[in-house]
Amino acid sequence: MEAKSTIRKMLAGNEIKVPDYQRAYSWDTPQPGVKSRKRTHTDVFLKDLEEHYNTASESQTTYYLGHFLFEKNGDTFYIIDGQQRLTTVTIFLSALFERLDEIKCFSTENSEDYILRKDTICFSTVQYDNIFFKDYVIHKSRLDTDGLETESARRIAQAFDYFRSELKDKSKEQLIGLLRIVSEATCTTHTVANETEAIQMFIFQNNRGKRPSNLEVIKAQFMYAVRLRANGDSDAKIQNIRQRFEDIYKAISHIEGYISEDDVLLYTFRVYVNSLWEDNPVGKVMAELKKDSALIFVENFTLALHQSFGRLKNFFSVEEKRSIAAHSLITLGNYATAIPFVIKAGLFNLAQDKKDQLYKSLEDLALRHSIIGTRGKITRRINDEFQGFSNEHIDITPILDQIERLKVSKEYWLSHWNNTALENALKGNVHIPAARFILWKYENHLISQGKGYAPKRFDDIQKPELEHIAPKTEPKEPRHGYGRYTERFKNEYLNNLGNYLLVSKSHNCQVGNVPFSKKHETYVHLRQQQEIRDMVPDAKRWSKNEIGQRQKKLSDFVLQNF
């Protein structure tokens, strides 16, 4: 490849692949029908092209797409830096050529120079997404996106659909202009003979695109340290890192909707050093790489990362479906404190019934922390129990006992999460995620009053949302049944737990801002909805007294069960 090139020259005649030890596609795309001020990678990419098209006649400058770094192996170029941009360029060009074909516009540019040359695909993504990439983006032989297993595959589909939609209304001149801008876009390239040299360059320079994660930086530093120190044994050690990171990135593609890779890095380091107090894994890792024992650390910590990501893939993908306790903890969402324990439980091959006990106890603590909102650090109150939980002492009893102690303790150091603090917090405004979780658990509590009923999973409810029984905006009807909307009522009762009800999204849209009697008629789907009907059988009034009564009932439920 030429050091200074264009996108057309770089893609034409070459076969470019993303190696499996690199990150899969991670650029975000605007969601259809969702208005947001937040810019995403793909709409910024397209808006930049459109802006350049609109001003190109004035500036006469070519579009610059940045620097690309490759490792050459035989006739194949493996992209080390710039894969997100090049993946996006390929997706965009495929959508663009498709649109040009639809309007029977045949430009002087040929898609064979960019997309598919006879049977050779010019650009391929990571192996585990590549079949979908070929079928959906390149050949367009697949029309659906059902059953996609990885978040990166979903991002590929979202980007392609977005570009298709945005290009649909553009004129022939605009389409040809955008094609010309991309094909003539300048870029610089650098090709190296092995990935270690490429990784070394990656450490010291990273330009346009998504900033590398801490995990990527550490991976690069590990490879560099091995090549620098391992002498004749470096190839085998590098291959070990590559293979482990292939698995790590596969795991990331399954769990990134739940947890970030840098958070997993942090929790892995806490498990590795056996302390919940650690907050700076990158700094500590860099310090380890300066020691004489650096190679031993690289091998051991790469293994630890491999085990953690594998363990969490199982937790979020397999256990979440099989264990209601895992599903419940994941649904709560505030599980940062729990994850190091989850990793250890997997490493120690803890029995599932013991895992479920541990998950439930950690859930109790996480929910209390979410509701109370204290600045106290939970990790410092359970660090001793975390350190004592080891392969030699696989006993969760001390952990469970300490969490129970936190619920009742009156000692200042431990009292931030006790029942008094929880009861007081439940009297105020409860944040929607916590309230939604409580009402789902309350629904299961009501279901369990009858014999033989299995717990209802959160995702069994179609797009569950919180309904304000007394709506946030006072209805225009004079006798709406909610009492007077005084300042006190609006401040103390509207966002009170007693005024929330779990409903499906379609139900929430249906009821809207209407009098209570009309809402009352629709409360027939969940047990808690029927409970509202039983509580106010005449459907005449839902105001301060009713909200207060229900708040007390729900508060008692939380205190007894969490």
Side-chain angles (χ1 to χ4, degrees):
M1 283 187 188
E2 299 176 5
K4 186 175 182 180
S5 186
T6 65
I7 290 297
R8 182 182 185 280
K9 290 179 181 178
M10 186 172 70
L11 288 170
N14 292 317
E15 185 178 2
I16 300 173
K17 295 182 178 181
V18 179
D20 289 340
Y21 64 86
Q22 291 284 28
R23 177 200 291 273
Y25 191 56
S26 63
W27 275 21
D28 293 323
T29 295
Q31 298 301 304
V34 178
K35 293 183 179 181
S36 174
R37 295 181 180 180
K38 183 180 178 181
R39 304 296 300 277
T40 67
H41 295 94
T42 51
D43 75 302
V44 168
F45 171 82
L46 182 57
K47 295 301 184 291
D48 280 354
L49 293 179
E50 292 173 338
E51 183 177 342
H52 191 85
Y53 170 79
N54 293 328
T55 60
S57 58
E58 303 171 8
S59 63
Q60 296 297 318
T61 59
T62 57
Y63 189 73
Y64 179 61
L65 261 170
H67 185 72
F68 296 90
L69 186 60
F70 298 95
E71 173 209 348
K72 188 175 182 183
N73 190 336
D75 294 328
T76 302
F77 290 89
Y78 290 94
I79 185 164
I80 307 301
D81 189 25
Q83 67 265 36
Q84 304 298 330
R85 278 171 286 135
L86 196 52
T87 306
T88 305
V89 166
T90 302
I91 294 171
F92 174 77
L93 287 172
S94 185
L96 182 55
F97 279 116
E98 179 186 52
R99 183 58 185 153
L100 289 170
D101 286 344
E102 288 173 350
I103 63 174
K104 309 299 182 186
C105 176
F106 304 102
S107 70
T108 55
E109 297 290 346
N110 192 326
S111 63
E112 289 186 0
D113 290 333
Y114 304 91
I115 309 295
L116 182 64
R117 188 170 51 257
K118 294 183 179 179
D119 293 330
T120 302
I121 295 173
C122 300
F123 175 84
S124 300
T125 188
V126 290
Q127 184 178 6
Y128 49 88
D129 286 339
N130 203 46
I131 293 294
F132 174 75
F133 181 75
K134 289 193 298 182
D135 291 347
Y136 197 77
V137 175
I138 305 300
H139 298 299
K140 305 173 188 67
S141 57
R142 177 171 176 171
L143 304 179
D144 70 278
T145 58
D146 297 336
L148 297 181
E149 294 185 354
T150 66
E151 191 66 27
S152 46
R154 284 186 280 272
R155 287 194 177 112
I156 288 169
Q158 289 164 0
F160 188 55
D161 292 345
Y162 170 72
F163 290 138
R164 272 177 159 172
S165 175
E166 292 295 310
L167 295 174
K168 183 172 57 177
D169 297 326
K170 296 196 181 299
S171 67
K172 170 183 173 181
E173 290 73 20
Q174 288 175 313
L175 294 171
I176 293 176
L178 290 173
L179 176 58
R180 182 182 65 253
I181 290 170
V182 175
S183 65
E184 296 175 359
T186 58
C187 58
T188 55
T189 70
H190 185 79
T191 305
V192 296
N194 61 73
E195 78 274 13
T196 308
E197 183 183 348
I199 291 296
Q200 185 180 354
M201 293 190 65
F202 173 84
I203 294 172
F204 295 111
Q205 64 90 35
N206 194 276
N207 46 39
R208 300 178 66 173
K210 192 166 185 175
R211 181 184 176 275
S213 66
N214 290 337
L215 183 69
E216 288 178 297
V217 171
I218 283 177
K219 177 190 70 175
Q221 293 286 1
F222 280 6
M223 288 184 165
Y224 182 54
V226 167
R227 186 64 74 184
L228 198 65
R229 292 170 176 260
N231 301 321
D233 195 28
S234 62
D235 288 343
K237 292 184 180 298
I238 288 289
Q239 182 64 14
N240 179 61
I241 294 174
R242 288 182 59 180
Q243 289 174 343
R244 293 203 184 281
F245 269 88
E246 285 181 21
D247 288 344
I248 286 170
Y249 280 117
K250 288 177 186 176
I252 288 172
S253 67
H254 286 273
I255 69 175
E256 60 182 325
Y258 298 100
I259 189 171
S260 77
E261 62 194 68
D262 282 347
D263 282 342
V264 179
L265 168 65
L266 170 61
Y267 304 142
T268 300
F269 194 75
R270 287 178 175 177
V271 172
Y272 187 81
V273 299
N274 200 27
S275 173
L276 295 176
W277 289 60
E278 292 294 342
D279 286 321
N280 181 24
V282 175
K284 298 292 177 63
V285 166
M286 297 305 294
E288 290 290 336
L289 294 179
K290 294 177 181 178
K291 298 179 180 179
D292 292 339
S293 57
L295 292 182
I296 296 174
F297 172 77
V298 167
E299 183 174 353
N300 291 341
F301 194 65
T302 303
L303 173 61
L305 286 168
H306 186 263
Q307 291 173 328
S308 291
F309 276 98
R311 169 71 191 110
L312 293 179
K313 177 185 174 183
N314 184 73
F315 176 66
F316 287 110
S317 300
V318 179
E319 278 192 76
E320 191 276 338
K321 293 179 175 62
R322 297 178 179 175
S323 162
I324 193 67
H327 171 70
S328 185
L329 178 58
I330 292 168
T331 299
L332 176 58
N334 189 19
Y335 39 69
T337 302
I339 294 299
F341 290 92
V342 171
I343 293 172
K344 277 193 174 185
L347 291 176
F348 306 155
N349 199 26
L350 199 66
Q352 189 62 54
D353 61 331
K354 296 296 184 182
K355 287 181 184 178
D356 289 346
Q357 290 181 48
L358 179 62
Y359 298 161
K360 176 60 175 72
S361 189
L362 291 166
E363 173 189 290
D364 292 354
L365 191 55
L367 181 62
R368 285 171 176 254
H369 188 69
S370 178
I371 294 170
I372 296 168
T374 175
R375 293 184 179 181
K377 291 187 177 297
I378 299 177
T379 51
R380 297 184 180 182
R381 276 69 171 183
I382 56 175
N383 191 54
D384 288 348
E385 290 68 31
F386 176 76
Q387 291 178 325
F389 184 37
S390 67
N391 210 15
E392 291 74 30
H393 299 91
I394 310 175
D395 182 9
I396 62 172
T397 304
I399 304 170
L400 307 187
D401 289 347
Q402 177 65 358
I403 291 175
E404 289 304 309
R405 191 175 299 116
L406 290 171
K407 294 180 182 181
V408 298
S409 177
K410 295 182 179 180
E411 296 178 37
Y412 177 76
W413 172 250
L414 303 175
S415 65
H416 299 288
W417 301 273
N418 69 16
N419 290 334
T420 301
L422 179 61
E423 186 174 12
N424 289 335
L426 287 167
K427 292 176 182 177
N429 294 343
V430 178
H431 293 307
I432 286 177
R436 186 168 52 216
F437 178 84
I438 290 169
L439 289 176
W440 165 58
K441 302 293 280 191
Y442 185 63
E443 182 69 19
N444 275 330
H445 167 71
L446 295 177
I447 290 173
S448 69
Q449 303 305 301
K451 295 181 179 179
Y453 289 96
K456 182 187 287 289
R457 285 174 56 92
F458 187 72
D459 47 20
D460 286 341
I461 305 169
Q462 294 183 358
K463 298 181 179 178
E465 293 187 349
L466 278 191
E467 144 89 341
H468 287 75
I469 303 175
K472 290 184 288 185
T473 302
E474 184 176 5
K476 295 180 180 179
E477 291 88 340
R479 296 184 177 180
H480 46 61
Y482 303 114
R484 294 177 57 214
Y485 270 62
T486 62
E487 286 302 311
R488 183 187 173 201
F489 181 72
K490 288 187 284 188
N491 292 333
E492 297 182 17
Y493 290 90
L494 284 182
N495 294 315
N496 186 286
L497 183 60
N499 192 45
Y500 287 140
L501 187 66
L502 196 63
V503 298
S504 67
K505 182 178 179 64
S506 58
H507 188 179
N508 201 13
C509 295
Q510 173 192 347
V511 292
N513 192 19
V514 297
F516 177 61
S517 59
K518 292 185 178 179
K519 286 192 176 186
H520 190 276
E521 294 173 358
T522 71
Y523 291 161
V524 296
H525 302 288
L526 298 178
R527 296 293 182 92
Q528 61 191 272
Q529 295 174 17
Q530 183 61 49
E531 188 178 57
I532 299 298
R533 291 173 62 90
D534 295 341
M535 185 177 173
V536 192
D538 60 9
K540 288 183 178 180
R541 186 177 180 84
W542 182 265
S543 191
K544 290 187 294 186
N545 289 339
E546 291 75 20
I547 293 172
Q549 290 173 26
R550 188 161 181 267
Q551 187 278 333
K552 179 66 168 60
K553 190 170 188 177
L554 290 171
S555 177
D556 290 344
F557 164 75
V558 173
L559 286 164
Q560 291 167 12
N561 291 275
F562 299 93

